[in-house]
Amino acid sequence: MTAGITRRTTAKSAQTRITAISALAVAGALLLAGCGDQTNSADEGDSNESSSAPLAGKLPASIRSEGVIKVGSDIAYAPVEFKDESGKTVGFDPDLAAAMGEKLGVEFKFENGTFDNLIGGLRSKRYDIAMSAMTDTKDRQEGVDSETGKKVGTGVDFVDYFSAGVSIYTNKGKTQGIKTWSDLCGKKIVVQRGTVSHDLAKAESKKCGGKKIAIESFDNDQQAQTRLRSGGADAGSSDFPVAAYAVKTSGGGKDFELVGEQVEAAPYGIAVAKGNEELRDALVAALDAVIKDKTYEKIIKKWGVQAGAVTAATVNGGK
C-alpha cells in the first residue's frame, strides 16, 4: 500500500490512530483467516481430483492434457466390441476401457477401423492404442508377418488383459463331421482377415495334401457369419467368446453350433507402439487397479466371459 500517512500529535488524533490500528488488525486477522480457508479448500480440491483419478500422473503429459486416449478397434466383434441397436459402441473392451479411464482421468475414445490395419494405425499415430480382441503373439511384438516370417514393422508392446482360444462353428445341424481343424481339409471356412483363425486355417491347409482348405476372409467377423449363414461355406472360426456369442444370439440361437474344443488359448493384449513405455506402464497400473477393486470381475460377468479372466496385467505374455 502506497498512500501517505499524516502524523498527528494531539491526544484526540492519537486516540483516533489507535482505534484505526485496532480496526486494521482485526481486518487483517479476518483476511488471513479467509486466506487460510482458501488454501485449505484448494488443497481439498487437489485431494479430491487425485482420489477421483489416482493414476492420472502416470500418463504422458500430452495425453493427460488432451484428456483422451484414441483407441483403434474393429467394432464388429460381439461381445468384445460392437455397435448396439442405437449405434453406441458397447462390449467387454469398451466397458473395461471406461473403468481404466476412471483411474487415469481420461476418456478412451474408440475409433472404428479394419482389424488388419490397426497396428499400422499405431505406427502412423492415428491411434494411441489398439484394443480389439487382439491376440498377443511374438510375431506382432516383433513386427513379423506370421505367414512369410519377414520383418514388416517395428512391432508393438502388449498389455495383456484376457485369455481366449479359437473355436470352429458350423450352421446348426450341418456339422459334416467337423470336430478338429484337420477335418476342414477339402472344405470351405470363413474367417476375419488377419486374425489367429485366419493364420490357423492357412497353416492347417498346408498340411492337407491334395485337399486344401478353401479360405474366404472378410474385413470383419459379422461378414463371415453372414456368408456362413447363407450356406456359402462349411464352417467359420473366431475367438471362443465371439463364436460362443454368435451361437447364442444369431437367429435366437438357431443359426450356428460350436464344434470341437477351442485351441490355441492365448492372451488378448492392448497394443501400444514400441517406445511408448510411459503409456504402456500407465495402462498396466490402471488394469491392475480395476482387477484389484473387483470392477474387472463385474465386467466379465456382465458379458459372460469369466472363463478368460486374468488375475493381473502382463506385458508381452504372448508366445
Side-chain angles (χ1 to χ4, degrees):
M1 196 178 293
T2 59
I5 298 176
T6 302
R7 183 178 291 274
R8 300 189 182 196
T9 58
T10 64
K12 184 176 180 180
S13 296
Q15 182 61 44
T16 302
R17 186 179 63 169
I18 291 169
T19 302
I21 290 171
S22 297
L24 286 171
V26 172
L30 291 172
L31 180 60
L32 287 173
C35 290
D37 289 343
Q38 290 170 6
T39 302
N40 290 338
S41 297
D43 288 344
E44 288 172 6
D46 290 344
S47 176
N48 290 338
E49 182 179 352
S50 176
S51 63
S52 64
L55 301 176
K58 291 185 176 292
L59 285 169
S62 58
I63 288 179
R64 195 163 63 245
S65 64
E66 290 181 10
V68 172
I69 292 177
K70 294 175 289 185
V71 185
S73 187
D74 173 25
I75 309 174
Y77 212 53
V80 186
E81 52 260 316
F82 61 105
K83 300 280 189 181
D84 67 11
E85 292 179 357
S86 69
K88 180 182 177 181
T89 299
V90 297
F92 168 55
D93 276 1
D95 281 357
L96 180 58
M100 293 169 65
E102 289 181 6
K103 303 295 184 183
L104 294 167
V106 294
E107 176 191 0
F108 281 64
K109 186 176 181 181
F110 278 70
E111 300 180 15
N112 199 18
T114 305
F115 184 81
D116 56 352
N117 289 328
L118 295 181
I119 289 179
L122 290 178
R123 287 198 298 267
S124 67
K125 298 185 178 181
R126 178 179 179 183
Y127 314 122
D128 298 310
I129 65 174
M131 190 174 186
S132 189
M134 185 176 289
T135 302
D136 174 1
T137 66
K138 284 292 183 185
D139 284 346
R140 284 173 175 158
Q141 291 171 26
E142 297 169 1
V144 172
D145 183 285
S146 58
E147 187 172 7
T148 65
K150 294 180 179 179
K151 186 84 169 174
V152 292
T154 56
V156 297
D157 284 334
F158 285 101
V159 177
D160 299 336
Y161 64 98
F162 191 74
S163 180
V166 175
S167 293
I168 301 170
Y169 58 100
T170 67
N171 284 318
K172 198 158 191 174
K174 298 180 180 179
T175 66
Q176 302 179 67
I178 298 170
K179 292 183 178 180
T180 68
W181 282 86
S182 61
D183 295 330
L184 291 167
C185 293
K187 295 182 172 62
K188 184 176 182 179
I189 190 170
V190 288
V191 295
Q192 181 176 358
R193 189 177 303 111
T195 61
V196 172
S197 291
H198 195 186
D199 292 341
L200 282 173
K202 289 185 287 187
E204 190 65 41
S205 186
K206 292 177 181 178
K207 305 175 187 177
C208 287
K211 294 183 177 180
K212 301 292 185 183
I213 301 173
I215 304 167
E216 189 171 2
S217 61
F218 296 85
D219 284 344
N220 63 61
D221 200 67
Q222 291 177 352
Q223 293 171 348
Q225 290 176 25
T226 299
R227 180 68 164 161
L228 176 61
R229 192 184 297 112
S230 68
D234 300 299
S237 176
S238 55
D239 294 350
F240 172 73
V242 178
Y245 188 83
V247 167
K248 180 181 178 180
T249 60
S250 182
K254 297 178 181 179
D255 288 344
F256 304 130
E257 65 179 281
L258 289 170
V259 295
E261 301 293 330
Q262 60 175 311
V263 299
E264 299 288 324
Y268 282 173
I270 302 171
V272 184
K274 290 288 189 186
N276 203 350
E277 289 83 2
E278 190 175 9
L279 175 57
R280 180 198 68 193
D281 294 345
L283 296 173
V284 169
L287 177 56
D288 279 336
V290 298
I291 291 173
K292 184 177 180 180
D293 72 10
K294 307 295 185 182
T295 304
Y296 178 88
E297 182 180 347
K298 293 176 183 177
I299 293 169
I300 63 172
K301 283 184 177 179
K302 172 184 174 181
W303 293 103
V305 293
Q306 299 95 311
V310 300
T311 57
T314 305
V315 174
N316 294 335
K319 306 299 183 184

